[in-house]
Amino acid sequence: MRISICIAVLASVCLTPLSLEARALPIAKERDPYVTTIAKNWSFRQAGKERWYPATVPGSVHSDLRSNGLIPDPFFRDNEAKLQWIGYEDWEYATSFNVDPRVLARDRLTLVFEGLDTYATVLLNEREVLSADNMFRRWLVDAKALLKPKGNSLRVVFRSPIDEVLPRMRATSYELPAVNDQGEKTSPHTRKAPYQYGWDWGPRFVTSGIWQPVRLEAWDEARISDLYVTTPKVAANEAEIAAQVTISAVRPVEASVVLDAGPGVAPARRTVSLAAGENVVTVPLRIERPKLWWPNGLGDQPLYTVRARLSTARAADEASHRIGIRTVELRQKNDEWGKSFEFVVNGVPVFAKGGNWIPADSFPERVTAERYRHLIDSCRRANMNMLRVWGGGIYENDLFYDLCDEMGILVWQDFMFACSMYPGDEAFLDNVRHEAIDNVVRLRNHPSIVLWCGNNEVETAWAHWGWKDRLPAKLWDDYLKLFHGVLPDVCAKLDPSRAYWPSSPSSNLEDDADSQRIGDVHYWGVWHASLPFRDYEKQKPRFMSEYGFQSFPLKATVETYAIPEDWNIESPVMKAHQRHPRGNELIREYMLREFAEPKDFDSFLYVSQVLQAEGMRIGSEHLRRLMPRNMGALYWQIDDCWPVASWSGMDYYGRWKAMHYYAARFFDDVLLSTVERDDGVEVSIVSDRVAASRGVLRLRLLDFAGQPLLERSAPVEVAPLASRVVATVDAAEVDAAGPREAMFLHATLEVDGTIVSRSSHYFRPFKELKLRRAEVEPVVKGRRGAVRVALSSKTLARALYLSLDGAEGHFVDNFFDLVPGEPVEVAIEGKGLTPEEVRRRLRIRSLADAFDR
Ligand code: BMA
């Protein structure tokens, strides 16, 4: 008889309803009498108030207030300011539940809280059973003695995370810096998602609530409490897998453990005598001719499900994890430029392309499986292979990493510390130690994760933001304890297969934190210091983990938070959705260097996106051309947590801004890139492919009607994993061809009969080009759900922008230059869209349409 159904894997992961949908793992089901998800009958109230309201668990107090109609939409207009009171209140959640007598009879009954946000007292049948103080930890409560068959009450009382800390802060002679807290600077004292206190792209919503599931787990005799799978040997003919199965036993008992990895792999069996308490059993497996897991662009992502089955005379249990077979190394070798910083997967140095991920919502429970899938798939489609889960957010939901495993997106995982100094007392360090243990154990089986990183920007902030000079030296000692002590210790012990890096950016204290010789770099001279985009080309980092520029979201997104009277970037509502103090000013300043003043609000939004995309193209192409000296280009930032003007490439609704479309091109595995020097235009080919190929490079100087003024083509070698200058168009040739404001250089690279990369180079800022408005002729084709638009133009159309008025549809390509004589066809993804509807709603504009002239 099967007595206990396992949730071993679940015991070490945090599951939300999102991940329930997507996993093939054994899952806690309501109908299973031994694992009960306590998700029903929850209600909540403001502490001290009479009335209770229905609540959703997992969730947050903001979402519950909203769904009960007690507050307006927090993201609409300037509602944020009116909702700050919520963070200063205490909140209470309660439910009641019955326990099947068969469950009550089990040896062990454990209440599992996968996440409580944040200062919480838990009462079971009115007895205090837990005091929680860290949003990122999971909490286990031995509940056997307190449970009864009918009418158990569970109550969770949350204290205001702000008020909790204020008295402690008042008692200290200095304030811990927290540059992004928009209010009292309490966040460094509390283990809660930093971005919820406000950021330079995020609102301040200091939530409380049961943000991850609550379960009752009942078991007999023995169960698997963790399954940790490593691959000590990976070779073409054979991989060795070691599964470390942690088994909790109620009493000494004989058990058998069977491990399998699916069809074609011989299972392994162990018979063990378990002692009471925790037992660790290691079982090896061999996989012949393993299918290797590769990052996106370099190969496939085969995943093996490794399953452990435990049985004793009375109990049976099982746990499983999906793993990928690969090796990973953070290679840091002394070289002519300092010390390399590159990720090597299965022996291949991988140029990391991607961006920084922030939580996709101010209220994490609102990120559905579809939203996660859309965002990560969009990264895959934009030829990215790495995301940095940035330290001011959350350790992401399991589904996030599952999707990264499936799509070959490597994950640089920060611990959740950003832009602050932190306490260093034993209680705080111990709390963080537990948080690190919980999350490293939960996540270490994911092949996508390649690095643990201590924090975001604390090392550089201490050195360069004036902190070292004005704050007590003790804070640096505390820093060392945490980021060079507690965190690397946990990683070394629980996940020795991955590297730990103390901060981003960092030189691991071997040089200045911002050193371009050692470690990673955040470069913000473009943006914060108003330096021109071309300044990117002066940077020579070893790995660029942040660089970015802001833009406004799409108009359809603006319309969700601003009404027509707000449609001016300086209106109070638009400014409430622009969190950088100089954001609008900087966008405008950069914009006017390149463009005239856009003619209206819509044009301003559009031009801001093209500006951002062009700037990031300059930076990203440069960083790729620098390979192998530089081996990473992670821009700031992938996504948004609410609708806002920000550095994101996709807005809150997952709509691709111009930059995300550009990213698909500037991160493509073969890149043709041009850069203007004094003596002419240099043409480079960068390839992330492991194999060499031959191609044809075609260079043409064209006027804006597409007439060739100079034409040249030549066979070229596309060298593997390399960046090479392959041609130059001399300044004299350019000048001989005609006036620079009336032409452009159009380059294409053809490999095996297809154009794999194209590039347009302009010799003057857009505002000086003699470019007329383009008349683009669309022909809409296809059928319902599979519509395409064919486009051609007699005049160059720059940054051609296709949109649908009043309908959702994703254009597979957008914001591209439509060159006369080179018609293109763009597919539209959109459920149920018909050609007729597209014809009616299609709007086409290009840069020349954005200005009165
Ligand atoms: C970076 C990030 C964030 C911030 C961004 C834009 O350095 O680490 O702290 O949002 O800059 O200013």
Side-chain angles (χ1 to χ4, degrees):
M1 185 177 70
R2 193 151 189 221
I3 300 174
S4 121
I5 300 280
C6 174
I7 34 155
V9 172
L10 304 179
S12 66
V13 299
C14 83
L15 270 185
T16 70
L18 299 174
S19 39
L20 289 178
E21 285 165 32
R23 301 169 70 89
L25 298 174
I27 278 173
K29 298 187 199 89
E30 279 303 335
R31 63 187 154 78
D32 184 327
Y34 304 118
V35 177
T36 322
T37 303
I38 303 178
K40 291 190 185 143
N41 306 325
W42 283 96
S43 53
F44 83 113
R45 70 174 174 185
Q46 191 173 331
K49 296 256 163 93
E50 280 298 303
R51 187 150 169 208
W52 291 84
Y53 294 90
T56 303
V57 168
S60 70
V61 65
H62 288 76
S63 294
D64 287 328
L65 287 165
R66 173 79 188 124
S67 59
N68 283 282
L70 299 171
I71 58 167
D73 174 1
F75 294 168
F76 189 64
R77 301 196 80 211
D78 51 3
N79 284 345
E80 176 200 359
K82 300 170 196 151
L83 300 177
Q84 291 309 307
W85 62 273
I86 301 168
Y88 293 89
E89 295 299 329
D90 298 348
W91 300 92
E92 213 175 318
Y93 280 74
T95 189
S96 62
F97 58 95
N98 300 332
V99 185
D100 187 306
R102 286 172 302 168
V103 175
L104 269 187
R106 299 299 118 207
D107 287 339
R108 291 281 154 85
L109 285 147
T110 311
L111 265 180
V112 181
F113 297 89
E114 292 291 358
L116 295 171
D117 172 19
T118 289
Y119 296 108
T121 304
V122 178
L123 299 107
L124 176 60
N125 291 328
E126 288 311 310
R127 289 269 295 276
E128 183 177 329
V129 291
L130 171 68
S131 172
D133 59 358
N134 185 334
M135 177 182 182
F136 302 124
R137 285 175 63 178
R138 57 195 291 272
W139 307 90
L140 305 184
V141 172
D142 183 358
K144 172 119 174 147
L146 288 175
L147 287 169
K148 49 191 185 185
K150 292 257 182 281
N152 294 284
S153 78
L154 185 60
R155 207 149 63 81
V156 187
V157 182
F158 293 96
R159 300 186 299 285
S160 156
I162 304 167
D163 288 346
E164 179 82 7
V165 166
L166 288 176
R168 220 182 304 157
M169 281 171 63
R170 286 189 196 114
T172 8
S173 56
Y174 53 85
E175 187 177 70
L176 293 176
V179 291
N180 290 285
D181 278 37
Q182 294 162 18
E184 302 91 340
K185 299 197 177 304
T186 62
S187 75
H189 299 270
T190 299
R191 296 309 300 142
K192 170 173 172 61
Y195 79 110
Q196 295 181 324
Y197 293 87
W199 216 265
D200 59 4
W201 37 259
R204 177 178 172 92
F205 289 118
V206 183
T207 55
S208 281
I210 304 172
W211 80 296
Q212 297 288 346
V214 184
R215 291 190 309 274
L216 178 64
E217 300 178 354
W219 52 286
D220 269 331
E221 203 161 78
R223 73 157 179 183
I224 300 174
S225 48
D226 183 54
L227 170 63
Y228 171 37
V229 187
T230 56
T231 44
K233 180 183 157 193
V234 178
N237 60 337
E238 184 186 80
E240 234 171 73
I241 290 181
Q244 184 183 298
V245 190
T246 306
I247 302 168
S248 305
V250 173
R251 59 186 74 84
V253 63
E254 293 300 303
S256 90
V257 180
V258 178
L259 197 76
D260 79 77
V265 184
R269 177 186 296 272
R270 276 268 186 293
T271 308
V272 282
S273 304
L274 301 174
E278 290 232 314
N279 301 261
V280 177
V281 181
T282 302
V283 189
L285 263 191
R286 273 175 212 293
I287 299 188
E288 279 176 38
R289 287 180 303 282
K291 295 192 263 321
L292 296 190
W293 186 95
W294 289 97
N296 183 29
L298 284 172
D300 295 337
Q301 291 78 43
L303 296 168
Y304 290 84
T305 299
V306 176
R307 194 178 308 275
R309 288 196 186 82
L310 166 76
S311 47
T312 68
R314 284 179 56 214
D317 196 358
E318 73 172 55
S320 65
H321 259 299
R322 284 190 322 179
I323 63 147
I325 299 178
R326 54 112 182 91
T327 60
V328 64
E329 175 198 350
L330 171 61
R331 190 172 287 166
Q332 289 191 269
K333 271 208 180 131
N334 292 327
D335 61 19
E336 56 188 304
W337 304 296
K339 204 186 233 186
S340 65
F341 193 94
E342 64 182 1
F343 292 93
V344 180
V345 178
N346 301 328
V348 175
V350 178
F351 187 98
K353 299 177 287 193
N356 287 268
W357 170 273
I358 64 162
D361 208 296
S362 289
F363 312 109
E365 72 279 0
R366 304 210 303 199
V367 190
T368 59
E370 290 67 34
R371 283 174 66 191
Y372 270 118
R373 184 172 288 280
H374 168 74
L375 290 168
I376 296 167
D377 191 46
S378 295
C379 294
R380 182 190 62 77
R381 292 171 72 165
N383 297 310
M384 297 181 182
N385 59 20
M386 185 180 279
L387 292 174
R388 169 170 171 244
V389 177
W390 164 79
I394 56 173
Y395 303 93
E396 272 297 341
N397 186 293
D398 277 8
L399 178 62
F400 173 92
Y401 303 95
D402 285 344
L403 291 166
C404 290
D405 292 346
E406 287 168 19
M407 298 187 194
I409 305 292
L410 304 174
V411 177
W412 167 313
Q413 179 67 49
D414 283 3
F415 286 95
M416 294 304 125
F417 300 88
C419 305
S420 298
M421 295 304 285
Y422 295 90
D425 57 276
E426 257 323 302
F428 187 85
L429 295 178
D430 194 56
N431 197 358
V432 173
R433 183 177 298 112
H434 280 99
E435 162 189 333
I437 291 171
D438 285 356
N439 286 287
V440 170
V441 167
R442 173 170 74 94
L443 299 176
R444 62 188 172 177
N445 288 319
H446 289 281
S448 53
I449 298 177
V450 292
L451 184 76
W452 298 106
C453 172
N455 67 68
N456 175 70
E457 294 187 346
V458 185
E459 188 178 318
T460 182
W462 179 258
H464 300 301
W465 300 3
W467 298 1
K468 189 172 60 178
D469 306 324
R470 72 177 166 83
L471 292 166
K474 171 192 177 301
L475 294 191
W476 183 249
D477 297 337
D478 291 345
Y479 176 90
L480 294 176
K481 283 186 211 160
L482 187 49
F483 300 108
H484 289 258
V486 171
L487 294 177
D489 286 354
V490 169
C491 292
K493 194 154 163 265
L494 296 174
D495 188 15
S497 75
R498 290 182 180 90
Y500 170 85
W501 188 242
S503 183
S504 180
S506 172
S507 63
N508 200 18
L509 308 183
E510 291 174 47
D511 196 348
D512 188 277
D514 294 347
S515 166
Q516 299 211 347
R517 295 176 47 249
I518 299 176
D520 64 323
V521 169
H522 295 186
Y523 173 72
W524 283 101
V526 170
W527 184 258
H528 290 295
S530 307
L531 294 172
F533 289 126
R534 295 290 302 268
D535 215 70
Y536 282 130
E537 291 168 355
K538 298 184 185 147
Q539 310 312 313
K540 306 254 164 78
R542 310 313 312 265
F543 189 107
M544 187 74 98
S545 42
E546 277 189 21
Y547 59 108
F549 194 86
Q550 276 201 353
S551 71
F552 282 85
L554 279 83
K555 180 67 184 305
T557 296
V558 171
E559 285 171 0
T560 66
Y561 66 82
I563 58 177
E565 68 177 76
D566 308 323
W567 292 354
N568 170 334
I569 63 156
E570 294 304 329
S571 72
V573 166
M574 289 302 289
K575 281 174 91 167
H577 291 249
Q578 162 56 282
R579 307 314 285 250
H580 190 267
R582 291 174 56 227
N584 284 356
E585 185 188 319
L586 284 167
I587 292 176
R588 182 170 233 113
E589 182 183 328
Y590 277 85
M591 196 184 277
L592 295 179
R593 292 176 193 171
E594 183 70 26
F595 303 99
E597 179 80 31
K599 67 182 184 197
D600 53 24
F601 181 67
D602 288 28
S603 300
F604 194 95
L605 303 182
Y606 158 61
V607 177
S608 81
Q609 288 193 22
V610 177
L611 176 72
Q612 174 195 35
E614 283 288 342
M616 298 309 287
R617 182 186 63 75
I618 292 171
S620 306
E621 289 191 6
H622 163 71
L623 291 168
R624 290 194 62 191
R625 288 195 307 265
L626 260 191
M627 167 191 190
R629 179 170 179 168
N630 171 61
M631 284 300 283
L634 305 182
Y635 63 62
W636 183 265
Q637 66 199 69
I638 293 290
D639 57 328
D640 279 331
C641 69
W642 75 319
V644 65
S646 83
W647 296 264
S648 71
M650 284 182 280
D651 72 24
Y652 174 68
Y653 294 97
R655 298 184 172 118
W656 291 23
K657 295 179 175 179
M659 177 164 81
H660 204 84
Y661 284 104
Y662 272 56
R665 300 191 278 267
F666 62 62
F667 284 150
D668 208 348
D669 62 351
V670 175
L671 172 75
L672 193 56
S673 177
T674 53
V675 63
E676 198 170 337
R677 314 264 182 228
D678 288 344
D679 54 351
V681 182
E682 206 172 80
V683 183
S684 300
I685 295 176
V686 184
S687 173
D688 291 336
R689 294 186 183 169
V690 282
S693 49
R694 296 201 62 77
V696 178
L697 175 69
R698 188 164 178 226
L699 299 171
R700 286 182 302 159
L701 286 170
L702 300 176
D703 70 16
F704 297 142
Q707 287 309 309
L709 307 168
L710 177 140
E711 205 164 355
R712 214 201 276 166
S713 72
V716 278
E717 151 111 27
V718 181
L721 302 175
S723 161
R724 299 264 192 278
V725 177
V726 289
T728 306
V729 180
D730 294 336
E733 293 178 278
V734 177
D735 291 328
R740 291 187 171 217
E741 60 276 12
M743 66 173 161
F744 66 112
L745 174 68
H746 187 52
T748 56
L749 174 66
E750 200 179 294
V751 174
D752 297 331
T754 12
I755 292 183
V756 294
S757 188
R758 38 165 62 87
S759 166
S760 294
H761 180 86
Y762 299 91
F763 298 94
R764 292 283 181 264
F766 183 82
K767 61 184 174 187
E768 291 172 23
L769 296 182
K770 299 262 176 289
L771 185 59
R772 284 178 301 113
R773 283 190 187 166
E775 310 251 319
V776 178
E777 286 157 32
V779 180
V780 180
K781 306 178 180 176
R783 53 186 163 76
R784 179 190 284 272
V787 183
R788 289 166 291 132
V789 187
L791 300 153
S792 61
S793 173
K794 294 201 174 71
T795 307
L796 172 74
R798 264 193 76 180
L800 183 92
Y801 172 33
L802 302 162
S803 60
L804 296 176
D805 223 5
E808 275 306 321
H810 173 75
F811 291 88
V812 168
D813 199 4
N814 214 339
F815 296 97
F816 52 83
D817 291 355
L818 183 63
V819 177
E822 289 188 15
V824 299
E825 221 173 83
V826 179
I828 314 175
E829 295 169 349
K831 276 189 214 119
L833 274 180
T834 61
E836 294 67 42
E837 197 178 358
V838 170
R839 235 165 259 138
R840 224 171 344 111
R841 297 182 181 277
L842 184 65
R843 279 194 68 194
I844 301 177
R845 67 191 117 164
S846 69
L847 274 179
D849 300 317
F851 310 95
D852 287 319
R853 59 166 177 170

